[in-house]
Amino acid sequence: MHFGRNGNRILQYNKKVNMEKDQVTKESLWTKIKDSAKNAGKELIRNVLILWYAFPEASATDKAVILGALAYFISPLDVIPDMTPVFGYTDDAGVVAAAVAKVRMCASKGVIAKAEEKLKEWFA
């Protein structure tokens, strides 16, 4: 089977997206949220949840954006360390907000509702 030059790029891109998906698990995301919810703030957590719930119905490009943003949120290696007072989550918030802006158009009302429901459960 011959894919040509662009076909190989697409296969490599899909392989990279699948590798990143393996790193962003529900368990790792929930643990990060649990550990940082109070310091990160409700809006950042809302956006993280929107990305999480939008993933299954997103296009391949949007999935890559979502995975990149969630991996950055989970990662202990940040531009501004999360432990830094006041500014610790500003870089995470910026990355996640940019990803939400990119994928918000494809996020259904059901995705937003799931995110809001989980947010109420955690912040009630």
Side-chain angles (χ1 to χ4, degrees), residues 1-5 7-8:
M1 186 179 240
H2 179 68
F3 293 104
R5 185 184 225 174
N8 286 335

Side-chain angles (χ1 to χ4, degrees), residues 3-57:
F3 293 104
R5 185 184 225 174
N6 289 334
N8 286 335
R9 287 184 193 158
I10 291 169
L11 289 174
Q12 289 172 347
Y13 178 77
N14 285 337
K15 186 177 180 181
K16 183 178 179 188
V17 168
N18 286 333
M19 286 174 26
E20 288 178 3
K21 183 181 178 195
D22 292 341
Q23 295 171 2
V24 179
T25 65
K26 185 175 184 178
E27 181 180 295
S28 65
L29 184 64
W30 265 221
T31 299
K32 175 67 176 194
I33 290 172
K34 179 183 169 191
D35 293 345
S36 63
K38 289 181 183 178
N39 294 329
K42 194 173 183 179
E43 190 60 34
L44 174 56
I45 302 303
R46 174 184 285 113
N47 286 339
V48 167
L49 290 170
I50 288 170
L51 294 176
W52 177 258
Y53 289 121
F55 183 83
E57 56 192 52

Side-chain angles (χ1 to χ4, degrees), residues 47-100:
N47 286 339
V48 167
L49 290 170
I50 288 170
L51 294 176
W52 177 258
Y53 289 121
F55 183 83
E57 56 192 52
S59 68
T61 302
D62 287 343
K63 283 182 179 183
V65 169
I66 290 169
L67 287 174
L70 294 178
Y72 188 85
F73 176 72
I74 292 170
S75 174
L77 303 174
D78 287 358
V79 173
I80 303 171
D82 294 340
M83 302 305 255
T84 305
V86 181
F87 299 108
Y89 286 95
T90 55
D91 59 326
D92 297 81
V95 168
V96 170
V100 168

